[in-house]
Amino acid sequence: MRISVIGCGYLGAVHASAMAELGHEVVGIDVDDRRIAQLAAARPPFFEPGLPEILRSATATGRLRFSTDIADAAGAEVHFVAVGTPQAAGSHAADLSHVDAAFESLLPHLADGALVVGKSTVPVGTAARLAERIAEAAPHASLAWNPEFLREGYAVKDTLQPDRLVYGVGEGDEHAASVLDHVYRAAIEAGTPRIVTDYATAELVKVAANAFLATKISFINAMSEIADATGADVTALADAIGHDARIGRRFLNAGVGFGGGCLPKDIRAFTARAEELGRGESLAFLREVDAINLRQRQRVVDLAVDALGGSVHRKRVAVLGVSFKPESDDVRDSPALDVAVQLRGLGAEVVATDPQGVENARARHPQLEYTSSTREALRGADLVVLVTEWREYRALDPVETGRLVAERRIIDGRNVLDAAEWRAAGWQVHGLGRR
Ligand code: UGA
């Protein structure tokens, strides 16, 4: 099919490349000319395993092009809108200005029978409003809402082999569902479950899924607070309750908490939308989820202060990890980077490192000292704080690491180290909810 993807950020760049990989003819559009130039040269503007390969192969075949001119979207049968919906300045609500601008710019270019497909995460009610706008300005076109569930670090796989497909379509719009079936034929033939529903449900599926995941993480982090107060071990607790198939072990890892460009802003926007709907009470618990999450960052900072005898001032602290999770260079709302910044604010001599995130972190917080070398970060440290569980950090050898640092003290902010092994090598080990 002929497809356009409006917005070539994380979601759009991966989606455009994956659609071309599936054999469609794709044009990716973005207003950022630097980003478009990079993508057109088959250079991904961010770190995502697997993306360089499909971007290279799709651009080489000519099936994938990029442009800053929205007029190049004309002629496509399906237009995916994948622009960002960040948290609005000064409020918890989502900023829809990019979505609205993308729709308005696209309207004059919609061919007869074209299908516009929203992929951005939006407050419930947005699709119905945009469908009205299309009915008014381009009645020959229609709208579907097809939320995206990809995880950074696994984005290519999640797009090519999704665990479910959700289509929100207008009342009686069978055409939209059959067009999307065509787009996703490979996944459907592989047996991917597909749910066709109304706009509101499709919009809610996305935010409900992220709210559930955020709640699960904050639940186990709250348990880690109780574990700290009682001498219990939160990891053993998670293993035990995780064996109950109704609960499940995934997303039950206590630590410095969730961050990134999705979970934090999505739960806030969801709460804000519920309040607009007069149903603030229904989602009041998400405020608590947010508060528990932010408290985890403070707990790690407090642990650092305690570990250093009451003050981090002029102490050399090696912060391992700045990206919000491993396999990503994304530092948006990163708990790891936040901890580094707070420690620096308390007067510590912070040296932060990350296998991929250093450049993005430096752009946001140039006041920190960075190195891309783990050994360099560790050298002479009075305290090591592990806050992003990259494989490289999980695999650190306590004896060898002990030779680099000034003092054998470590905070395992992701509860991933074998504390007994580290203690045996002479380390003081501090975790969250771990004895
Ligand atoms: C999340 C969702 O998982 C995706 O399904 C969704 O499509 C995406 O948001 C989105 O809305 O676009 P992502 O932000 O890539 O994906 O990251 P996750 O893997 O969900 O991790 C989020 C955060 O939770 C990370 O900071 C991670 O370190 C933290 N986390 C995760 C924990 O603290 N504990 C856990 O047990 C799991």
Side-chain angles (χ1 to χ4, degrees):
M1 299 195 84
R2 290 190 310 277
I3 290 177
S4 88
V5 178
I6 323 292
C8 290
Y10 215 101
L11 167 56
V14 173
H15 193 70
S17 309
M19 292 302 105
E21 174 78 10
L22 291 175
H24 300 300
E25 199 139 314
V26 184
V27 57
I29 313 267
D30 201 290
V31 291
D32 182 338
D33 41 11
R34 200 167 144 246
R35 170 167 296 228
I36 286 299
Q38 279 176 295
L39 287 166
R43 272 186 287 120
F46 46 81
F47 174 76
E48 180 61 43
L51 181 58
E53 292 80 0
I54 62 167
L55 183 57
R56 217 176 301 127
S57 67
T59 41
T61 60
R63 277 203 307 272
L64 178 59
R65 293 177 300 122
F66 291 95
S67 168
T68 51
D69 186 357
I70 189 77
D72 286 332
E77 299 147 277
V78 184
H79 303 269
F80 285 101
V81 176
V83 294
T85 52
Q87 187 174 332
S91 117
H92 276 178
D95 172 359
L96 292 179
S97 59
H98 304 296
V99 172
D100 288 335
F103 267 80
E104 286 305 318
S105 67
L106 186 58
L107 287 173
H109 303 289
L110 293 175
D112 261 3
L115 179 65
V116 183
V117 184
K119 277 215 140 319
S120 308
T121 302
V122 290
V124 56
T126 307
R129 172 172 67 79
L130 293 169
E132 272 177 34
R133 182 73 191 110
I134 289 182
E136 206 174 84
H140 47 280
S142 61
L143 177 74
W145 215 266
N146 169 221
E148 181 57 56
F149 307 105
L150 65 79
R151 299 159 297 167
E152 294 189 15
Y154 303 91
V156 172
K157 181 187 164 288
D158 286 350
T159 309
L160 291 173
Q161 295 145 27
D163 53 12
R164 79 281 211 192
L165 289 162
V166 176
Y167 310 161
V169 300
E171 224 177 300
D173 189 354
E174 280 158 25
H175 172 69
S178 73
V179 170
L180 284 170
D181 279 350
H182 210 74
V183 171
Y184 296 122
R185 201 176 65 196
I188 287 171
E189 282 174 359
T192 307
R194 147 194 178 285
I195 290 160
V196 182
T197 181
D198 51 83
Y199 293 138
T201 307
E203 292 166 313
L204 279 173
V205 165
K206 170 67 198 225
V207 284
N210 276 0
F212 191 89
L213 295 171
T215 304
K216 205 171 171 189
I217 299 167
S218 278
F219 175 85
I220 201 65
N221 281 331
M223 293 305 112
S224 80
E225 292 183 304
I226 302 297
D228 266 347
T230 54
D233 186 290
V234 74
T235 305
L237 170 79
D239 290 344
I241 63 173
H243 280 300
D244 183 331
R246 293 169 303 173
I247 296 174
R249 181 62 179 83
R250 293 174 76 188
F251 271 65
L252 273 188
N253 296 318
V256 69
F258 59 81
C262 304
L263 261 48
K265 65 111 177 149
D266 285 354
I267 60 169
R268 291 174 197 148
F270 199 11
T271 314
R273 183 67 184 128
E275 275 160 15
E276 281 171 13
L277 294 166
R279 293 287 189 278
E281 268 182 7
S282 308
L283 298 187
F285 72 96
L286 287 180
R287 285 187 195 288
E288 204 52 50
V289 165
D290 199 7
I292 294 167
N293 188 52
L294 294 176
R295 208 152 63 220
Q296 294 305 103
R297 302 175 186 195
Q298 188 58 48
R299 280 177 76 199
V300 172
V301 172
D302 292 346
L303 272 179
V305 172
D306 284 352
L308 289 169
S311 171
V312 298
H313 192 67
R314 306 196 67 169
K315 299 285 186 178
R316 194 175 157 91
V317 180
V319 175
L320 304 186
V322 292
S323 54
F324 84 106
K325 67 173 193 181
E327 303 303 326
S328 169
D329 64 356
D330 195 343
V331 299
R332 286 176 294 171
D333 206 341
S334 164
L337 188 54
D338 205 9
V339 164
V341 168
Q342 286 195 49
L343 288 172
R344 165 72 209 228
L346 292 173
E349 288 169 13
V350 171
V351 186
T353 185
D354 192 281
Q356 295 292 338
V358 165
E359 287 320 308
N360 287 339
R362 200 197 304 276
R364 274 174 199 242
H365 293 288
Q367 77 274 25
L368 294 182
E369 187 185 331
Y370 298 97
T371 170
S372 50
S373 151
T374 309
R375 291 178 72 83
E376 212 43 59
L378 290 168
R379 193 159 288 131
D382 297 303
L383 173 69
V384 181
V385 183
L386 191 168
V387 261
T388 311
E389 71 280 29
W390 285 93
R391 202 171 306 131
E392 179 183 333
Y393 305 152
R394 303 169 75 132
L396 279 173
D397 175 56
V399 175
E400 203 188 311
T401 308
R403 291 194 195 110
L404 293 169
V405 296
E407 298 287 341
R408 296 183 178 198
R409 293 189 195 102
I410 188 161
I411 294 176
D412 180 4
R414 290 289 182 178
N415 289 346
V416 289
L417 300 178
D418 180 340
E421 193 194 348
W422 282 72
R423 287 197 178 110
W427 286 79
Q428 262 181 45
V429 185
H430 307 266
L432 294 154
R434 303 201 76 185
R435 270 177 299 140

